[in-house]
């Protein structure tokens, strides 16, 4: 049973009690506690359950690497799952719930999985996939769905704010332990701009807990002095609670600052993402302790030796009255001494090494602590959920119990692994140490920057320097090397340090070394994902040799801790099973972020209205005030239709179309792309860009054209107006303007750079209004100012002039089949013109129409729409647009590709009109069914629907589609599939449904 | 996140300001070209693990396309240069050959 000690706790303030709740139970802690410490202080040893078997779990670590003590924090929109209790600072009113249990943490139904564990071996998911389909659907899927997912998402949306901060520094130092501080002290003496980050709420890392002396003072004192010096240095910036998350190309780094998690309600953003560009990066990220693999090592009450020491020294919390320490190295003896110093009992130190004679074991023996060398833990005994004893055996043997030792906590240490994540993110390579049995950075194979020079260095334990004086010297030297690279001269120094001598460790990957299969199936490697020694050995036995494959097969290292505890032990076991040295097995890839960062901080301020810019035409406000039902078109908003009160969308669209065809409609066409192409070679350039001839177009005339890419596929279409000898105005689709402008620039800058052509995207310079319908000319004449008669302005002509005393350019073009004028006016006068037109058009019941009416009217006329009839695989020939493909031109973009055999094939599906026999509307995207099935057993097809609408003009469904040999099959009836599995019949017809001779537009 | 100096506006720009455009110095094959030449132009790319001449556009800046010589594994940039050329300038070839004497464009 864990409890609070009456004294001690260097990080807590006993004068400031704090109330919090865990699973609805009220508890007390102190300011400075983390949640795990506070839970232990309240006797709450079990903090969560594992993911797969729902086994009860206690806290195993004391920092960011914690795999077990994951909780859901907060409530409502502020609820956040999967938060590590070890990195959660306690505050008044904190509420937390445990995860992966039902109905309660103490009694969990899912724990039955544990007794079924032999049916859920490594590769369970993969093996399951090959079972019969029925078993999958009724047996496995429900099980996996129920057990999948870790924690619950918050609901509703997140009320907090997040921000991104940008900074350029000369030297970024990640990690504020003594190594990071020493590196910063070295750099502080120069004028290099330095940023020092520490992920926790306090500086100095583990040194104060380990009790080192530096420069003749206690580590704690040395840290205080270092901070004073750094805070006074004008070139150094310090950030606590700020985790160096990832190192990226060319000196880029991300850091995750938790600004107000520890004081909810405080002003400012909750989290901040630092986007850092650094000249040089030093990672002083320390090391993580490894668990030992013995049977029962996942039981609540078993934790890392360093963690147990942290809870005593930092928080004044006793994880248990009688502690057994089990180790393969000297460092764990510090835990034994800390336990003893706090007045608790060390039942025994079980050391797997044959002998332990260094100063630390000696100090323990001198303190009267029993030390058993050459021994191992054979098993862990529980009574209910409380740890009661361990069985001791010989490490060399198979696990025969020599003795049972009563205890209520076990401190384990399998040695330390440098945190090489940030070194590795951008290509830093690793070496295997045969002294310390860990991977450490290979200083000869470093990440390189844009100059090909080293830009990441490690400092301290992250370099593999394990003893305090080595840590400080190494940190200073790394800083000097980085500073020299930046052009600053600096001097390294090695502060003296004591209390750090350690004897050699021994590699112990399985305890005892001859453990049976049964024992190995109780030795946990990955605590969160329930991966055991037996699972990794099974993977090896089943032929998995790559560590990356084994990881995915067993889920080793795939939990939220990303293998921080499990990876080295796991790959050592794999190496053992494959009978190959560990370096040959290698590590899995280290990827950012180092620890999980919030989704909120990734989005930063870019949510809701600021997610992306919203483009509004000059008439946007009018549309809004007149019932616009908005549709997003790229970043624009366009009215889909204008609904009157009580009117359905369908009714509105029908009304808009009927009014336009019968009398007069108007459309805001301002979003249409408008690109000016000008210069002596403009005609030549457009001849290359368009499939048809543009250079022969006369000033004052318009021509419809198609643009293809070099693959021959149709990209965009629109009307080109020649303004004068040298200038053309190119109209593109609304969504395509920016892309087509970039396309033009690409060819002009990179291929035909000697051509005298200039382009400018004028899309937003002009508002454009389409006035459409039999009364369109009458309206323009009523506005007055220019001759728009049939004689003065024939179809496909344009003219500059004045209408209603506004400067305009009028194009007589039509996308609806009606008499139609598109009027361009400077954007700032767009609304004025629109309002004048609306006012003047009242006598003809002028009706604004939206994008849906536009779509239906163009479909009634058989006009194609980019994105409906095209999808990036359609060529103009498929759409019967051969008339718009010049035979005379030697070259244009796409011409060569369209001559390729597949493009010229007669088997390509071609555009036709489709009319359902029953008059209904064909489902969008439906396929025309053909006889038989393909080799996958899927129904053969012979065409598909590309556009489908209800035509109010014709009172029936109309559609366009691409059909095999379509134009040769007029009148044939095809079957089209529906979502419900049935089919609907439609006849192949001419795609022009309305006014086939164009009499309405040519008046 | 890579950074390049735009040879037009002189700004050292982060990748977020730029758009990548694939291999540089492709020779365009148009109508009349053989199937083999056209296939090479449309589809076949060097994709080296090594020095790569590539196209970038300063899309969130001056809008200009430029070319860069970059090592795809070490990420070293040997220089950026105008897009209006059929081969890298001598100075950039020199920079590359200083490290990779055998390198051929």
């Amino acid at each position: 049973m864990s409890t609070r000690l009456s004294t001690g706790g260097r990080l807590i303030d006993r004068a400031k009690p704090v109330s919090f709740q865990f699973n609805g139970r009220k508890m007390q802690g102190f300011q400075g506690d983390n949640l795990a410490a506070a839970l232990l202080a309240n006797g709450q040893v079990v903090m969560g359950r594992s993911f797969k078997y729902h086994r009860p779990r206690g806290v195993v670590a004391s920092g960011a690497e914690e795999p077990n003590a994951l909780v859901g924090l907060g409530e409502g929109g502020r609820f956040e799952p999967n938060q590590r209790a070890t990195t959660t600072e306690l505050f008044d009113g904190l509420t937390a719930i445990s995860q992966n249990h039902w109905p309660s943490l103490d009694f969990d139904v899912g724990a039955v999985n544990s007794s079924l564990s032999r049916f859920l071996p490594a590769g369970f998911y993969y093996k399951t996939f090959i079972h019969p389909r029925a078993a999958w659907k009724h047996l496995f899927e429900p099980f996996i769905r129920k057990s999948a997912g870790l924690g619950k998402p918050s609901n509703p949306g997140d009320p907090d704010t997040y921000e991104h901060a940008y900074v350029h520094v000369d030297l970024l130092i990640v990690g504020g332990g003594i190594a990071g501080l020493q590196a910063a002290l070295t750099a502080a003496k120069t004028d290099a701009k330095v940023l020092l980050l520490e992920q926790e709420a306090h500086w100095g890392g583990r040194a104060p807990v380990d009790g080192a002396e530096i420069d003749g003072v206690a580590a704690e004192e040395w840290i205080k002095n270092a901070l004073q010096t750094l805070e006074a240095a004008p070139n150094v910036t310090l950030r606590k609670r700020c985790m160096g998350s990832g190192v990226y190309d060319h000196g880029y780094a991300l850091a995750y600052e938790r600004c107000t998690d520890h004081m909810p309600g405080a002003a400012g953003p909750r989290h901040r993402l630092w986007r850092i560009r650094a000249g040089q990066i030093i990672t002083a990220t320390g090391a993580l302790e490894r668990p030992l693999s013995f049977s029962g090592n996942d039981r609540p009450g078993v934790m890392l030796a360093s963690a147990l020491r942290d809870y005593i020294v930092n928080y004044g919390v006793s994880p248990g009255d009688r502690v057994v320490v089990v180790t393969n190295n000297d460092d764990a003896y510090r835990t034994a001494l800390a336990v003893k110093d706090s007045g608790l009992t060390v039942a025994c130190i079980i050391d797997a090494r044959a002998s332990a004679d260094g100063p630390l074991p000696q100090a323990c023996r001198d303190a009267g602590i029993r030390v058993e060398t050459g021994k191992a833990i054979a098993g862990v005994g529980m009574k209910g959920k409380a740890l009661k004893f361990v069985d001791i055996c010989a490490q060399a043997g198979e696990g025969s119990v020599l003795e049972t030792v009563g205890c209520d906590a076990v401190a384990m240490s399998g040695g330390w692994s440098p945190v090489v994540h940030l070194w590795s993110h951008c290509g830093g390579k690793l070496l295997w140490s045969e002294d310390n049995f860990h991977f450490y950075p290979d200083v000869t194979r470093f990440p390189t920057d844009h100059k090909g020079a080293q830009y990441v260095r490690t400092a301290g334990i992250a370099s593999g320097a394990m003893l305090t004086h080595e840590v400080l010297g190494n940190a200073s030297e790394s800083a000097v090397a980085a500073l020299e690279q930046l052009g600053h001269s600096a001097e390294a120094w090695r502060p003296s340090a004591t209390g750090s001598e350690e004897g050699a460790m021994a590699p112990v990957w399985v305890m005892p070394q001859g453990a049976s299969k049964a024992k190995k199936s109780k030795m946990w490697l990955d605590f969160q994902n329930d991966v055991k020694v037996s699972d990794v050995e099974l993977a090896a036995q089943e032929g998995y040799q790559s560590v990356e494959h084994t990881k995915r097969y067993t889920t080793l290292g795939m939990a939220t801790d990303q293998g921080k505890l499990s990876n080295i032990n796991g790959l050592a076991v794999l190496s053992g099973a494959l009978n190959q040295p560990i370096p040959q097995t290698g590590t899995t890839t280290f990827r950012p972020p180092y620890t999980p960062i919030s989704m909120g901080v990734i989005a930063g301020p870019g949510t809701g209205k600021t997610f992306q810019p919203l483009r509004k035409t000059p008439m946007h406000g009018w549309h809004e005030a007149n019932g616009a039902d908005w549709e997003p078109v790229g970043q624009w908003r366009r009215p889909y239709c204008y609904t009157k009160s009580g009117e359905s969308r369908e009714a509105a669209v029908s009304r808009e179309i009927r009014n336009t065809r019968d009398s007069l409609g108007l459309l805001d066409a301002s979003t249409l792309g408008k690109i000016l192409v000008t210069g002596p070679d403009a005609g030549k350039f457009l001849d290359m860009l368009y499939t048809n001839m543009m250079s022969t177009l006369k000033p004052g005339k318009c021509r419809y054209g198609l643009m293809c890419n070099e693959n021959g596929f149709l990209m965009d279409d629109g009307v080109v107006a020649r303004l004068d000898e040298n200038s053309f105005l190119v109209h593109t689709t609304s969504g395509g303007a920016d892309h087509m402008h970039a396309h033009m620039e690409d060819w002009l800058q990179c291929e035909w750079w000697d051509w005298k052509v200039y382009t400018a995207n004028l899309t937003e310079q002009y508002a454009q209004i389409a006035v459409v319908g039999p009364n369109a000319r009458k309206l323009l004449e009523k506005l007055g100012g220019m001759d728009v008669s049939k004689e003065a302005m024939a179809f496909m002509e344009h003219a500059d002039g004045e209408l209603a005393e506004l400067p305009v350019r009028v194009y007589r073009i039509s996308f609806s089949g009606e008499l139609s004028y598109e009027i361009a006016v400077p954007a700032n006068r767009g609304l004025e013109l629109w309002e004048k037109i609306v006012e003047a058009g009242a006598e003809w019941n002028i009706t604004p129409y939206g994008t849906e009416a536009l779509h239906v009217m163009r479909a009634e006329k058989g006009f194609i729409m980019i994105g409906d009839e095209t999808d990036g695989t359609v060529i103009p020939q498929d759409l019967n647009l051969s008339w718009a493909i010049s035979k005379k031109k030697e070259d244009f973009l796409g011409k060569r590709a369209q001559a390729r055999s597949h493009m010229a094939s007669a088997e390509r599906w071609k555009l036709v009109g489709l009319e359902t026999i029953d008059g209904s509307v064909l489902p969008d995207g439906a396929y025309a069914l053909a006889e038989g099935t393909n080799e996958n057993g899927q129904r053969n097809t012979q065409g598909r629907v590309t556009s489908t609408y209800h035509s109010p003009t014709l009172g029936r469904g109309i559609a366009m589609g691409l059909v095999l040999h379509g134009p040769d099959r007029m009148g044939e009836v095809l079957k089209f599939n529906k979502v419900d599995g049935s089919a609907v019949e439609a006849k192949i017809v001419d795609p022009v449904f309305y006014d086939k001779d164009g009499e309405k537009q040519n008046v | 996140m890579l950074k390049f100096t735009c040879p037009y506006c002189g700004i050292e720009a982060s990748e977020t300001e730029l758009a990548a455009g694939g291999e540089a110095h492709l020779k365009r094959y148009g109508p009349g070209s053989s199937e083999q030449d056209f296939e090479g132009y449309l589809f076949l790319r060097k994709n080296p693990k090594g020095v790569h001449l590539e196209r970038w556009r300063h899309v969130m800046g001056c809008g200009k396309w430029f070319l860069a010589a970059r090592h795809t594994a070490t990420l070293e940039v040997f220089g950026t240069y105008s897009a209006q050329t059929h081969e890298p300038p001598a100075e950039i070839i020199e920079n590359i050959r200083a490290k990779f004497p055998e390198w051929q464009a």
Side-chain angles (χ1 to χ4, degrees), chain A residues 84-98:
Chain A
R84 285 148 292 158
T86 50
T87 58
T88 300
E89 290 175 62
L90 200 66
F91 56 84
D92 211 37
L94 178 149
T95 63
I97 56 165
S98 54

Side-chain angles (χ1 to χ4, degrees), chain A residues 595-673:
Chain A
T595 61
I597 68 177
S598 63
M599 295 305 286
V601 87
I602 294 170
T607 59
K609 283 186 175 174
T610 49
F611 176 62
Q612 63 172 0
L614 180 63
R615 298 174 82 182
K616 298 177 177 179
T617 74
M619 292 79 96
H620 188 93
W622 190 95
H623 304 323
E624 200 152 52
N626 286 274
D629 189 335
W630 295 108
E631 176 184 46
V633 178
Q635 290 171 335
W636 295 102
R637 288 289 176 279
R638 298 188 74 182
Y640 174 91
C641 61
Y642 300 80
T643 47
K644 296 187 167 171
S645 88
E647 193 180 37
S648 70
R649 278 178 132 201
E650 292 72 21
V653 170
S654 285
R655 172 178 53 75
E656 290 167 12
I657 293 169
R658 277 197 308 272
N659 270 332
T660 302
R661 292 235 184 268
D662 293 346
S663 178
L664 193 57
L666 86 166
L667 172 80
D668 180 357
S670 306
T671 60
L672 206 65

Side-chain angles (χ1 to χ4, degrees), chain A residues 248-250 252 277 448 450-452 710-711 742 746-747 749-751 753 890-891 895-897 900, chain B residues 1-3 14 28 30-31 33-35 38 41 43 55 57 63-65 74-77 84-86:
Chain A
Y248 303 84
D249 306 339
H250 290 183
Y252 191 71
R277 186 71 80 165
T448 50
H450 61 298
K451 293 177 185 154
E710 274 289 59
N711 293 285
D746 191 351
W747 286 99
Q749 292 181 33
C750 303
E751 187 71 22
W753 60 76
E890 271 181 24
D891 194 5
K895 183 177 168 86
R896 174 64 183 87
R900 297 172 72 216
Chain B
M1 186 159 59
L2 302 172
K3 57 182 180 180
S14 269
R28 179 171 183 262
S33 58
S34 70
E35 291 282 22
F38 190 64
Y41 161 57
F43 303 117
R55 288 156 26 93
R57 188 181 182 213
K64 293 293 185 191
W65 282 96
T74 69
L75 308 186
E76 180 168 2
V77 178
Q84 281 123 45
T85 174
H86 294 292

